[in-house]
């Protein structure tokens, strides 16, 4: 065949291949191109067109092979090298792709497309700092290009240069308001920079333009979560999970939102899914521990938190230790010694001052007592606090209240004295509050929060007063060197346990929690068994106090009292799934659902009226009642408890003994169980309980448990003792 005929045949094949390709008959086109290349292996147009067709068909490896042959034939062709590089990048051959793109840049300098793609490659290779240089060159060459600006902003974002990324990404979104990626990048950069509320709008816009963008939906969920919009954030996370069910961080976000929405069983499930995908996700382990605690699964919670301290970063370790310090007194398998060790370990992480100001000479005027609380507004919680404060001798003691609630929020309990000083410290930093306390010349600073407000506990490590005391809400050692004294009584802190406390222990002669009630409460009614014949055992403790051991013990009581039913009410049981979870725990111990009455939260007066449907109450353990026990007694319902192995197990013991109700304090969990069964089955119980209710409030008022004046005198004696012990040390 002559050269002319061969050329005509090649041209005819090329035309047929083009026509088939343009008509969408791709398989036919590929076949013709291959036939042509079989005849002429170096046919450049066939190589180039077939490579592009293979790219179109998704056949990346075939395209790479043809492009490589084409580049070998035209090594100085910048466009060919650039196209070859793009094919290599699609096959994740990044090093080769970068080399080819840089060679294309050498052959055709200042091409914005080539510069941009070098930057994109470097970013994909985890080299955003190197990428920025090329993207900046591309933007310089071609100004006001939305895509080029976006890629520069994206590289800056990846490099962590958030302050630089935000304005560039905003420019990209302005140049092309329909560029979803620019809005998404802007939202992400704002969120990471801490401009959470500002990030929501751009992220919403990104999703309007590109509803299937799972990453934008994930970032929007995070922004909404940080803004406290947990329900909407949860919806976003769930939608992201539909598109990315194997993304552990999505399930982690779902769990966090479920936890904030108090959907504890669903939160546990979400964290479990996260951990199935990423078993060492320490933040999920930590959050799962917090959630299990809310359900009363305290042993499992502590196990998770201990694991988080081993697997997590320094921040996660600190958070886990902090939550362990809060929870550990209520964990059945921990002891006084481990409570001390954990709280000391956490306390060593606080920034503390070696010593506070010197104590004033007490002869210069009344002792200045400062009380710090985040809960002064809680009338039901603050009964012992107001019983003390209202009875203080203002001639001898200057009272100053440092409150994380404004005075107008305190509706019940406090009877203001014009000589008192009230300080609203809401939103103020611990450093600012410490300076304020020091400026007031407070002699004795009393913490009423304990571990119930961890954000305020570091205040005391700053030692803003000469003497620092814990009372009312601690239930175990603080574990912190900054506390000089801890006030309890003989029931809660026997002398043999003082070695487990870092503070000097002072004891009041009666209960350390004498109380008064001056907020609205329901009238006492006869015990329900008198009118219905159905005996009801009850407990209104928080769900986190209802441990597996508590469930097992209450199940023993119900099995031994076949005609009794049990009423449990708390805020967690407002959700059906939480009731089901608790029911299943009882079912595992042989107690059917029909023997349980499970109820959720209510307005406080209505909540207290629940005691009108309870004949006698049973205490939780090892975390016994405090406020719950006071309220039960005031409503005429005796509480059966036992003398546990730590302070937190004996708060009810202290109250019942001081109230003269020693009969209901048992020696052990076995004695507690047997006593409840006898009480539930005895024919004398209805009349006995009715007689108790008839005059219980009068009996309480006449007993030490409601002797507020005696409480005040005893506390004032302790304060004077502290000063006398402190002064000689300072005079040496």
């Amino acid at each position: 065949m002559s050269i002319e005929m061969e050329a005509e045949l090649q041209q005819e094949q090329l035309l047929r291949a083009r026509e088939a390709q343009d008509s969408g008959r791709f398989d036919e086109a590929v076949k013709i191109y291959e036939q042509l290349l079989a005849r002429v292996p170096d046919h450049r147009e066939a190589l180039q067109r077939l490579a592009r067709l293979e790219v179109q068909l998704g056949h990346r490896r075939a395209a790479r092979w043809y492009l490589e042959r084409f580049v070998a034939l035209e090594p100085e062709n910048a466009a060919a090298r650039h196209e070859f590089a793009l094919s290599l990048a699609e096959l994740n051959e990044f090093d080769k792709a970068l080399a080819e793109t840089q060679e294309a840049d050498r052959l055709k300098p200042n091409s914005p497309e080539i510069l941009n793609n070098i930057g994109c490659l470097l970013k994909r290779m985890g080299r955003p700092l190197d990428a920025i240089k090329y993207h900046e060159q591309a933007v310089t060459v071609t100004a006001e290009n939305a895509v080029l600006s976006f890629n520069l902003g994206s590289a800056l974002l990846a490099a962590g240069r958030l302050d630089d990324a935000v304005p560039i990404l905003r420019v990209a979104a302005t140049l092309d308001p329909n560029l979803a990626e620019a809005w998404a990048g802007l939202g992400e950069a704002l969120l990471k920079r801490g401009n959470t509320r500002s990030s929501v709008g751009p992220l919403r816009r990104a999703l309007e333009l590109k509803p299937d963008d799972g990453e934008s939906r994930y970032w929007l969920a995070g922004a909404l979560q940080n803004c406290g919009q947990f329900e909407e954030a949860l919806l976003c996370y769930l939608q992201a999970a539909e598109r990315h069910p194997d993304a552990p961080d999505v399930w982690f976000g779902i769990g966090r939102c479920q936890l904030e929405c108090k959907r504890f069983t669903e939160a546990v499930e979400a964290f479990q899914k996260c951990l199935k995908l990423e078993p060492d996700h320490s933040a999920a382990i930590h959050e799962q521990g917090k959630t299990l605690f809310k359900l009363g699964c305290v042993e499992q919670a502590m196990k998770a938190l201990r694991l988080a301290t081993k697997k997590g970063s320094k921040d996660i370790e600190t958070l886990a230790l902090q939550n362990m310090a809060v929870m550990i007194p209520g964990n059945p398998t921990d002891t006084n010694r481990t409570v001390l060790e954990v709280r000391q370990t956490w306390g060593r992480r606080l920034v503390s001052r070696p010593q506070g100001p010197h104590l004033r000479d007490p002869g210069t005027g009344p002792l200045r007592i400062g009380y710090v609380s985040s809960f002064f507004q809680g009338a039901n919680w603050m009964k012992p606090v107001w019983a003390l404060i209202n009875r203080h001798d203002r001639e001898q003691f200057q009272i100053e209240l440092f409150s994380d609630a404004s005075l107008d929020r305190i509706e019940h309990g406090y009877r203001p004295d014009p000589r008192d000083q009230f300080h609203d410290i809401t939103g103020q930093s611990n450093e600012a509050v410490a300076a304020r306390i020091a400026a007031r010349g407070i002699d004795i600073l009393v913490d009423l929060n304990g571990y119930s407000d961890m954000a305020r506990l570091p205040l005391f490590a700053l030692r803003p007063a000469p003497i620092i005391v814990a009372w009312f809400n601690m239930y175990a050692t603080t574990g912190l060197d900054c506390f000089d004294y801890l006030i309890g009584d003989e029931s809660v802190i026997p002398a043999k346990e003082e070695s487990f406390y870092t503070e000097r222990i002072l004891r009041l002669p009666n209960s350390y929690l004498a109380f008064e009630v001056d907020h609205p409460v329901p009238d006492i009614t006869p015990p329900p068994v008198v009118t219905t014949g159905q005996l009801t055992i009850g407990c209104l403790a928080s769900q986190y106090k209802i441990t597996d051991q508590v469930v097992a013990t209450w199940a023993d009581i119900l099995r031994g009292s076949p005609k009794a039913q049990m009423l449990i009410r708390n805020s967690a049981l407002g959700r059906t799934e939480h009731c089901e979870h608790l029911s299943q725990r009882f079912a595992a111990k042989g107690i059917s659902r029909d023997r349980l009455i499970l109820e959720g939260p209510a307005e406080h007066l209505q909540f207290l009226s629940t005691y009108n449907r309870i004949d006698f109450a049973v205490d939780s353990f090892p975390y016994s009642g405090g406020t719950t026990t006071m309220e039960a007694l005031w409503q005429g319902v005796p509480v059966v408890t036992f003398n546990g192995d730590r302070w937190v197990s004996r708060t009810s013991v202290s109250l019942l003994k001081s109230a003269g109700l020693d009969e209901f304090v048992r020696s052990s969990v076995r004695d507690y169980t047997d006593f409840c069964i006898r009480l539930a089955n005895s024919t004398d119980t209805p009349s006995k309980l009715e007689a108790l209710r008839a005059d219980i409030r009068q009996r309480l008022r006449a007993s030490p448990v409601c002797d507020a004046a005696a409480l005040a005198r005893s506390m004032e004696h302790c304060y004077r003792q502290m000063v006398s012990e402190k002064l000689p040390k300072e005079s040496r």
Side-chain angles (χ1 to χ4, degrees):
M1 181 182 298
S2 67
I3 294 175
E4 291 79 5
M5 292 179 62
E6 178 64 29
E8 289 178 6
L9 180 59
Q10 292 175 20
Q11 187 63 26
E12 186 269 335
Q13 282 185 298
L14 190 61
L15 290 172
R16 284 194 299 113
R18 286 178 184 172
E19 191 275 330
Q21 185 174 356
D22 294 342
S23 300
R25 304 194 310 274
F26 300 130
D27 290 343
E28 180 182 343
V30 168
K31 186 176 181 180
I32 297 171
Y33 282 131
E34 288 176 341
Q35 289 172 349
L36 177 54
L37 288 170
R39 297 174 60 86
V40 188
D42 293 337
H43 197 293
R44 298 182 183 188
E45 185 176 353
L47 285 169
Q48 189 174 38
R49 292 184 66 88
L50 180 54
R52 290 172 178 171
L53 180 55
E54 295 287 18
V55 169
Q56 186 178 352
L57 294 172
H59 303 156
R60 299 290 179 184
R61 294 198 176 280
R64 177 198 187 286
W65 189 74
Y66 293 121
L67 283 169
E68 189 172 25
R69 287 171 59 188
F70 182 76
V71 168
L73 294 170
E74 295 194 13
E76 299 300 309
N77 186 324
R81 284 191 174 275
H82 186 215
E83 193 172 1
F84 181 37
L86 295 178
S87 181
L88 290 168
E90 290 295 332
L91 293 170
N92 297 328
E93 296 184 43
F94 298 125
D95 289 334
K96 292 182 180 179
L98 179 61
E100 290 295 331
T101 316
Q102 288 175 327
E103 182 62 18
D105 179 48
R106 184 189 66 79
L107 294 167
K108 188 179 180 182
N110 295 323
S111 164
E113 184 180 7
I114 294 173
L115 290 168
N116 177 66
N117 283 325
I118 292 175
C120 290
L121 270 171
L122 287 166
K123 180 172 173 285
R124 288 181 70 181
M125 295 169 73
R127 295 166 57 185
L129 290 172
D130 294 329
I132 290 168
K133 178 180 67 174
Y134 288 94
H135 285 305
E136 286 176 335
Q137 291 179 40
V139 169
T140 301
V141 172
T142 306
E144 296 191 356
N145 182 290
V147 173
L148 296 182
S149 295
F150 161 70
N151 285 333
L152 172 57
S154 182
L156 290 164
L157 172 59
R161 289 173 52 181
L162 303 177
D163 289 341
D164 295 324
V166 167
I168 295 296
L169 289 166
R170 189 170 276 125
V171 165
T174 303
L175 290 171
D176 184 355
N178 294 319
L179 184 60
E181 292 79 4
W183 291 108
L186 176 59
E188 181 185 345
L190 286 166
L191 180 61
K192 289 181 175 178
R193 196 172 68 167
N195 305 118
T196 303
R197 295 193 181 280
S198 299
S199 72
V200 173
L203 290 167
R204 289 194 193 280
R205 175 60 178 159
L207 284 169
E208 288 174 8
L209 295 167
K210 198 173 180 181
D212 291 334
D213 184 1
E215 190 169 353
S216 292
R217 197 167 296 280
Y218 171 77
W219 290 116
L220 176 59
L224 292 167
Q225 181 180 340
N226 290 345
C227 290
Q229 299 177 41
F230 300 113
E231 292 287 357
E232 189 178 356
L234 177 59
L235 179 61
C236 283
Y237 276 127
L238 289 170
Q239 291 170 340
E242 290 176 2
R243 295 172 173 82
H244 303 284
D246 295 329
D249 282 344
V250 171
W251 289 108
F252 176 69
I254 291 171
R256 285 287 304 276
C257 288
Q258 298 282 25
L259 175 55
E260 292 290 347
C261 294
K262 302 186 187 304
R263 298 171 184 167
F264 304 132
T265 55
E266 294 172 79
V268 168
E269 291 174 5
F271 291 132
Q272 287 173 339
K273 288 180 179 178
C274 173
L275 291 168
K276 186 176 181 180
L277 294 165
E278 188 178 331
D280 291 333
H281 196 301
S282 59
I285 296 170
H286 169 250
E287 295 295 322
Q288 186 176 48
K290 287 169 55 180
T291 312
L292 288 166
F293 176 77
K294 297 288 188 180
L295 289 168
C297 303
V298 183
E299 289 181 73
Q300 297 174 47
M302 288 295 292
K303 182 178 180 181
L305 292 175
R306 284 188 162 102
L307 182 60
T309 64
K310 297 175 182 177
K311 289 183 174 289
S313 64
K314 199 70 174 178
D315 288 343
I316 294 295
E317 182 187 6
T318 298
L319 284 173
L321 270 173
Q322 176 175 302
N323 281 295
M324 286 171 62
V326 173
M327 300 176 193
I328 194 167
N331 184 31
T333 54
D334 275 299
T335 64
N336 282 311
R337 181 168 298 283
T338 55
V339 171
L340 172 63
E341 290 170 351
V342 166
R343 289 192 164 179
Q344 283 183 311
T345 300
W346 178 76
R348 283 192 285 268
R349 301 190 176 222
L350 297 182
V351 176
S352 60
R353 293 175 183 163
Q355 64 181 47
H358 291 290
L359 186 64
R360 294 180 308 114
D361 183 343
T364 60
L367 277 176
R368 297 176 185 174
I369 312 297
Y371 290 99
V372 179
S373 177
S374 303
F375 309 106
F376 279 131
Q377 72 278 14
N380 55 321
W381 299 333
M382 291 287 112
K383 289 188 282 288
V385 171
W386 298 131
L388 166 65
I389 290 174
N390 291 334
R391 294 300 197 287
H392 264 311
D393 180 355
R394 263 53 177 200
E395 297 298 323
Q396 300 294 319
F397 296 90
Q398 165 72 43
I399 303 305
E400 307 213 9
L401 307 180
F402 297 86
S403 171
D404 275 300
S406 59
L407 184 58
D408 59 7
R409 293 184 61 194
I410 303 173
E411 298 180 2
H412 300 286
Y414 179 41
R415 297 197 287 274
D417 187 289
R419 290 165 289 185
D420 294 353
Q421 294 290 323
F422 186 92
H423 306 273
D424 185 350
I425 58 172
T426 305
Q428 294 183 22
S429 69
N430 288 323
E431 290 74 15
V433 176
R436 193 169 181 176
I437 291 168
R440 292 298 303 168
I442 299 299
D443 299 309
I444 299 175
L445 188 66
V446 184
D447 175 31
L448 303 175
N449 288 329
Y451 278 76
S452 294
D453 185 357
M454 295 293 283
R456 276 292 178 225
L457 201 49
L459 164 66
F460 302 94
L462 299 175
R463 296 203 63 92
I467 299 173
I468 298 180
V469 183
W471 172 71
F472 171 63
N473 201 29
M474 191 57 71
Y475 314 129
T477 181
T478 66
L480 307 180
D481 294 339
C482 56
F483 281 88
D484 302 298
Y485 294 91
L486 180 59
I487 298 176
D489 60 45
E490 292 288 349
S491 292
V492 295
I493 316 177
K496 65 181 181 180
E497 293 181 7
E498 284 194 19
S499 62
F500 301 116
Y501 290 80
T502 56
E503 310 82 4
R504 166 116 154 76
I505 303 301
L506 295 182
R507 297 177 180 83
L508 303 187
N510 295 301
S511 176
Y512 74 104
L513 290 178
F515 66 92
E516 288 183 320
V517 178
D518 74 346
H519 56 81
V521 294
D523 292 334
I524 294 177
T525 62
V529 68
V530 171
T531 55
T532 67
Q534 170 76 67
L535 186 131
T536 303
I537 304 167
C539 183
L540 273 58
S542 299
Q543 186 62 32
Y544 60 79
K545 295 184 178 183
I546 303 177
T547 65
D548 289 341
Q549 288 85 343
V550 169
V551 170
T553 301
W554 290 353
D556 287 343
I557 293 170
L558 288 172
R559 279 196 300 273
S561 315
K563 295 182 180 180
Q565 61 184 355
M566 186 158 201
L567 191 162
I568 305 172
R569 186 171 200 175
N570 57 54
S571 60
L573 296 178
R575 300 197 65 84
T576 302
E577 62 270 20
H578 297 165
C579 293
E580 180 61 26
H581 182 268
L582 183 56
S583 298
Q584 290 174 359
R585 293 168 70 192
F586 272 98
K589 300 298 179 182
I591 302 301
S592 60
R593 179 67 175 85
D594 60 359
R595 298 196 64 191
L596 302 173
I597 303 169
L598 305 180
E599 297 178 359
E603 181 274 328
H604 193 60
L605 190 63
Q606 181 186 347
F607 187 78
L608 289 177
S609 70
T610 310
Y611 285 110
N612 294 339
R613 296 185 283 126
I614 295 172
D615 292 293
F616 70 87
V618 284
D619 203 6
S620 53
F621 60 91
Y623 201 152
S624 69
T627 298
T628 307
T629 299
M630 295 178 211
E631 291 180 339
L633 295 179
W634 197 250
Q635 292 307 126
V637 178
V639 180
V640 183
T641 190
F642 68 94
N643 207 354
D645 65 350
R646 63 195 80 175
W647 179 343
V648 78
S649 301
R650 306 184 190 118
T651 305
S652 292
V653 173
S654 173
L655 291 164
L656 286 163
K657 285 186 174 181
S658 190
L661 296 169
D662 301 56
E663 175 189 3
F664 296 95
V665 177
R666 311 313 298 180
S667 62
S668 65
V669 68
R670 184 70 264 168
D671 186 19
Y672 161 98
T673 304
D674 293 342
F675 179 82
C676 289
I677 292 171
R678 289 197 303 273
L679 197 59
N681 292 326
S682 173
T683 56
D684 295 334
T685 293
S687 59
K688 180 179 179 179
L689 295 176
E690 188 172 23
L692 179 68
R693 292 195 185 205
D695 66 348
I696 191 166
R697 285 185 181 170
Q698 291 81 355
R699 288 176 58 185
L700 291 172
R701 287 191 185 101
S703 73
V705 82
C706 288
D707 192 343
L711 172 66
R713 301 295 81 78
S714 297
M715 289 289 285
E716 289 169 354
H717 174 76
C718 286
Y719 293 155
R720 292 189 184 97
Q721 181 180 344
M722 294 171 193
V723 171
S724 67
E725 291 178 352
K726 181 78 170 176
L727 280 175
K729 294 180 182 178
E730 294 189 343
S731 63
R732 288 198 291 269

